[in-house]
Amino acid sequence: MLNKDQIAQRIAKEVKNGQYINLGIGIPTLVANYIPDDLEVVLQSENGLLGIGPFPTEDKVDPDLINAGKQTITMTKGSALFNSSESFAMIRGGHVQLTILGAMEVSENGDIANWKIPGKMVKGMGGAMDLVASAENIIVAMQHCSKSGDSKLLKECSLPITGIRCVKKIVTDLAVLDVLPEGGFKLLERAPGVSVEEIQSKTEGKLVVEGEIPEMTFEV
């Protein structure tokens, strides 16, 4: 199975030159560390920053520079700072091409649940609802199963929905999958050492498998 850094590394391969990208809290923030140097992209944070760089080394930490998850970050050359209302105007205006989010559940129709577990206190839904309603492309980074072993790729989400029919691609610790327009998870790649049968057994929703499924590869 993939660790969190490997999930982020695989997602970084989906990034295209010139994109404006929002990285959600958790695994998605790690993607910034793996974007190829030859790509020019701009990372946006909903708390008011365009131009997020990799996480800082100890000697470069600035406590005043944080992302939406309150992690310390660096800024790239030409970065801009602004208030959160301007940040959400960018998001709602459709100026973010790619959003990478974590999720607790994703349905085979591309619905995502990632903001609330009933009975547990949350501070609010954050920016996720705006992001999934506005971005051109949504990629989810998540664990394939819960800690209890239950699938998180479902026929229908059981938790409160963040957005409907919005997820395009999912990268889990077991697999890379596309969400098909007609519904279903199309298996594209599998984690090293993980079989198609294991992925099938851990996917509650419809899994579409066509031909030989290659293993993911990572640079050492």
Side-chain angles (χ1 to χ4, degrees):
M1 295 189 293
L2 304 186
N3 60 38
K4 293 179 180 180
D5 280 285
Q6 287 173 317
I7 293 173
Q9 191 176 349
R10 175 58 188 84
I11 290 175
K13 294 181 179 180
E14 302 296 322
V15 172
K16 294 179 174 59
N17 196 51
Q19 285 183 321
Y20 287 83
I21 303 169
N22 184 285
L23 302 179
I25 295 169
I27 296 173
T29 60
L30 299 172
V31 175
N33 294 331
Y34 298 103
I35 295 173
D37 293 335
D38 60 338
L39 294 186
E40 288 190 17
V41 299
V42 180
L43 301 182
Q44 191 254 18
S45 183
E46 57 263 42
N47 62 321
L49 173 60
L50 270 179
I52 302 171
F55 286 120
T57 54
E58 255 185 67
D59 59 319
K60 299 290 184 183
V61 170
D62 183 342
D64 291 325
L65 283 179
I66 60 170
N67 60 21
K70 299 179 178 62
Q71 297 167 304
T72 53
I73 54 172
T74 59
M75 295 170 64
T76 59
K77 186 178 180 181
S79 296
L81 298 167
F82 37 86
N83 63 42
S84 59
S85 63
E86 289 177 289
S87 178
F88 277 93
M90 294 173 189
I91 293 167
R92 293 167 184 165
H95 304 294
V96 175
Q97 281 90 39
L98 173 62
T99 290
I100 303 168
L101 293 168
M104 293 177 280
E105 295 177 346
V106 176
S107 80
E108 62 185 37
N109 289 324
D111 303 343
I112 180 173
N114 78 340
W115 77 277
K116 182 180 181 180
I117 298 176
K120 292 193 175 182
M121 188 181 76
V122 294
K123 295 178 181 177
M125 72 284 295
M129 289 185 181
D130 291 276
L131 287 162
V132 300
S134 306
E136 294 175 11
N137 188 17
I138 310 290
I139 298 177
V140 167
M142 65 189 295
Q143 304 297 319
H144 209 97
C145 297
S146 66
K147 290 179 181 178
S148 60
D150 296 322
S151 177
K152 296 166 75 171
L153 276 62
L154 309 172
K155 289 183 172 67
E156 295 181 356
C157 293
S158 62
L159 295 173
I161 298 292
T162 307
I164 60 171
R165 294 184 177 273
C166 55
V167 176
K168 302 293 193 297
K169 189 181 291 288
I170 306 165
V171 180
T172 76
D173 51 342
L174 300 181
V176 180
L177 310 104
D178 272 347
V179 179
L180 297 172
E182 66 273 19
F185 303 107
K186 183 177 180 180
L187 183 59
L188 302 179
E189 299 174 23
R190 53 194 174 85
V194 174
S195 68
V196 172
E197 290 74 24
E198 180 179 356
I199 296 166
Q200 178 74 74
S201 69
K202 294 181 177 178
T203 305
E204 183 204 277
K206 178 184 177 183
L207 185 69
V208 177
V209 181
E210 296 178 353
E212 289 293 319
I213 306 300
E215 285 193 353
M216 293 178 235
T217 57
F218 297 92
E219 294 181 9
V220 179

Short mmCIF file of all heavy atoms in Angstrom, two decimals, residues 146-169:
data_model
loop_
_atom_site.label_atom_id
_atom_site.label_comp_id
_atom_site.label_asym_id
_atom_site.label_seq_id
_atom_site.Cartn_x
_atom_site.Cartn_y
_atom_site.Cartn_z
N SER A 146 -11.65 2.59 5.72
CA SER A 146 -11.60 3.19 7.05
C SER A 146 -10.72 2.35 7.98
O SER A 146 -10.30 1.24 7.62
CB SER A 146 -13.02 3.28 7.63
OG SER A 146 -13.52 1.97 7.87
N LYS A 147 -10.48 2.86 9.17
CA LYS A 147 -9.67 2.12 10.15
C LYS A 147 -10.30 0.78 10.52
O LYS A 147 -9.61 -0.16 10.88
CB LYS A 147 -9.46 2.97 11.40
CG LYS A 147 -8.54 4.18 11.17
CD LYS A 147 -8.37 4.99 12.44
CE LYS A 147 -7.47 6.20 12.20
NZ LYS A 147 -7.33 7.05 13.41
N SER A 148 -11.62 0.71 10.40
CA SER A 148 -12.32 -0.54 10.72
C SER A 148 -12.37 -1.50 9.53
O SER A 148 -12.91 -2.61 9.63
CB SER A 148 -13.75 -0.24 11.19
OG SER A 148 -14.46 0.45 10.17
N GLY A 149 -11.79 -1.06 8.38
CA GLY A 149 -11.73 -1.93 7.21
C GLY A 149 -12.87 -1.77 6.23
O GLY A 149 -12.94 -2.49 5.22
N ASP A 150 -13.78 -0.82 6.48
CA ASP A 150 -14.91 -0.61 5.58
C ASP A 150 -14.48 0.24 4.38
O ASP A 150 -13.70 1.19 4.52
CB ASP A 150 -16.05 0.10 6.31
CG ASP A 150 -16.62 -0.74 7.44
OD1 ASP A 150 -16.72 -1.97 7.26
OD2 ASP A 150 -16.95 -0.18 8.50
N SER A 151 -15.03 -0.08 3.22
CA SER A 151 -14.72 0.68 2.01
C SER A 151 -15.18 2.12 2.14
O SER A 151 -16.23 2.41 2.73
CB SER A 151 -15.39 0.03 0.80
OG SER A 151 -15.16 0.80 -0.36
N LYS A 152 -14.40 3.04 1.58
CA LYS A 152 -14.78 4.45 1.53
C LYS A 152 -15.16 4.87 0.11
O LYS A 152 -15.50 6.03 -0.12
CB LYS A 152 -13.64 5.31 2.07
CG LYS A 152 -13.34 5.03 3.54
CD LYS A 152 -12.01 5.59 4.00
CE LYS A 152 -12.04 7.07 4.18
NZ LYS A 152 -10.80 7.58 4.83
N LEU A 153 -15.09 3.92 -0.83
CA LEU A 153 -15.55 4.13 -2.20
C LEU A 153 -16.87 3.38 -2.36
O LEU A 153 -16.89 2.16 -2.51
CB LEU A 153 -14.50 3.63 -3.21
CG LEU A 153 -13.36 4.60 -3.55
CD1 LEU A 153 -12.53 4.93 -2.32
CD2 LEU A 153 -12.47 4.04 -4.64
N LEU A 154 -17.96 4.13 -2.32
CA LEU A 154 -19.27 3.54 -2.06
C LEU A 154 -20.25 3.70 -3.23
O LEU A 154 -20.02 4.51 -4.14
CB LEU A 154 -19.88 4.23 -0.82
CG LEU A 154 -18.99 4.28 0.43
CD1 LEU A 154 -19.65 5.14 1.50
CD2 LEU A 154 -18.72 2.88 0.95
N LYS A 155 -21.34 2.95 -3.16
CA LYS A 155 -22.45 3.16 -4.09
C LYS A 155 -23.06 4.54 -3.84
O LYS A 155 -23.31 5.31 -4.76
CB LYS A 155 -23.51 2.08 -3.91
CG LYS A 155 -23.11 0.70 -4.41
CD LYS A 155 -24.28 -0.28 -4.25
CE LYS A 155 -23.97 -1.63 -4.92
NZ LYS A 155 -22.87 -2.34 -4.24
N GLU A 156 -23.31 4.84 -2.57
CA GLU A 156 -23.84 6.14 -2.17
C GLU A 156 -23.15 6.56 -0.87
O GLU A 156 -22.90 5.72 0.00
CB GLU A 156 -25.36 6.08 -1.94
CG GLU A 156 -26.17 5.79 -3.18
CD GLU A 156 -27.66 5.78 -2.89
OE1 GLU A 156 -28.04 5.92 -1.71
OE2 GLU A 156 -28.44 5.63 -3.84
N CYS A 157 -22.88 7.84 -0.72
CA CYS A 157 -22.27 8.34 0.51
C CYS A 157 -23.28 8.25 1.66
O CYS A 157 -24.47 8.54 1.48
CB CYS A 157 -21.82 9.78 0.34
SG CYS A 157 -20.45 10.00 -0.81
N SER A 158 -22.80 7.87 2.83
CA SER A 158 -23.66 7.81 4.01
C SER A 158 -23.51 9.04 4.89
O SER A 158 -24.37 9.32 5.72
CB SER A 158 -23.34 6.55 4.82
OG SER A 158 -22.00 6.58 5.29
N LEU A 159 -22.42 9.77 4.71
CA LEU A 159 -22.15 10.98 5.49
C LEU A 159 -22.71 12.21 4.77
O LEU A 159 -23.00 12.14 3.56
CB LEU A 159 -20.65 11.13 5.71
CG LEU A 159 -19.97 10.05 6.55
CD1 LEU A 159 -18.46 10.22 6.53
CD2 LEU A 159 -20.49 10.07 7.98
N PRO A 160 -22.85 13.34 5.46
CA PRO A 160 -23.35 14.56 4.81
C PRO A 160 -22.51 14.94 3.59
O PRO A 160 -21.28 14.95 3.65
CB PRO A 160 -23.23 15.61 5.92
CG PRO A 160 -23.36 14.83 7.19
CD PRO A 160 -22.67 13.53 6.92
N ILE A 161 -23.19 15.25 2.50
CA ILE A 161 -22.54 15.50 1.21
C ILE A 161 -21.92 16.91 1.17
O ILE A 161 -22.53 17.88 1.60
CB ILE A 161 -23.55 15.36 0.06
CG1 ILE A 161 -24.10 13.93 0.00
CG2 ILE A 161 -22.93 15.75 -1.27
CD1 ILE A 161 -23.10 12.90 -0.41
N THR A 162 -20.72 16.97 0.62
CA THR A 162 -20.06 18.26 0.38
C THR A 162 -20.40 18.76 -1.02
O THR A 162 -20.62 19.96 -1.23
CB THR A 162 -18.53 18.12 0.51
OG1 THR A 162 -18.22 17.52 1.77
CG2 THR A 162 -17.84 19.48 0.42
N GLY A 163 -20.40 17.85 -2.00
CA GLY A 163 -20.71 18.21 -3.38
C GLY A 163 -21.17 16.99 -4.14
O GLY A 163 -20.82 15.85 -3.79
N ILE A 164 -21.98 17.20 -5.19
CA ILE A 164 -22.51 16.07 -5.96
C ILE A 164 -21.90 16.03 -7.36
O ILE A 164 -21.66 17.06 -7.97
CB ILE A 164 -24.05 16.11 -6.04
CG1 ILE A 164 -24.54 17.39 -6.72
CG2 ILE A 164 -24.67 15.96 -4.66
CD1 ILE A 164 -26.02 17.40 -7.02
N ARG A 165 -21.64 14.81 -7.82
CA ARG A 165 -21.13 14.55 -9.18
C ARG A 165 -19.98 15.49 -9.56
O ARG A 165 -19.95 16.06 -10.65
CB ARG A 165 -22.27 14.67 -10.20
CG ARG A 165 -23.33 13.61 -10.04
CD ARG A 165 -24.39 13.69 -11.13
NE ARG A 165 -25.37 12.62 -11.02
CZ ARG A 165 -25.23 11.42 -11.57
NH1 ARG A 165 -24.15 11.13 -12.28
NH2 ARG A 165 -26.17 10.50 -11.42
N CYS A 166 -19.02 15.63 -8.66
CA CYS A 166 -17.94 16.58 -8.90
C CYS A 166 -16.55 15.94 -8.97
O CYS A 166 -15.65 16.48 -9.61
CB CYS A 166 -17.94 17.67 -7.82
SG CYS A 166 -17.85 17.04 -6.13
N VAL A 167 -16.35 14.79 -8.34
CA VAL A 167 -15.03 14.16 -8.30
C VAL A 167 -14.73 13.52 -9.65
O VAL A 167 -15.54 12.79 -10.20
CB VAL A 167 -14.95 13.10 -7.18
CG1 VAL A 167 -13.60 12.39 -7.21
CG2 VAL A 167 -15.19 13.75 -5.82
N LYS A 168 -13.53 13.80 -10.18
CA LYS A 168 -13.12 13.24 -11.47
C LYS A 168 -12.14 12.07 -11.32
O LYS A 168 -12.15 11.14 -12.11
CB LYS A 168 -12.48 14.32 -12.33
CG LYS A 168 -13.35 15.54 -12.59
CD LYS A 168 -14.54 15.21 -13.45
CE LYS A 168 -15.23 16.47 -13.98
NZ LYS A 168 -15.80 17.32 -12.93
N LYS A 169 -11.26 12.16 -10.32
CA LYS A 169 -10.22 11.13 -10.15
C LYS A 169 -9.96 10.95 -8.66
O LYS A 169 -10.08 11.89 -7.86
CB LYS A 169 -8.93 11.55 -10.87
CG LYS A 169 -7.86 10.45 -10.95
CD LYS A 169 -6.61 10.95 -11.66
CE LYS A 169 -6.83 11.18 -13.13
NZ LYS A 169 -6.96 9.92 -13.93
#
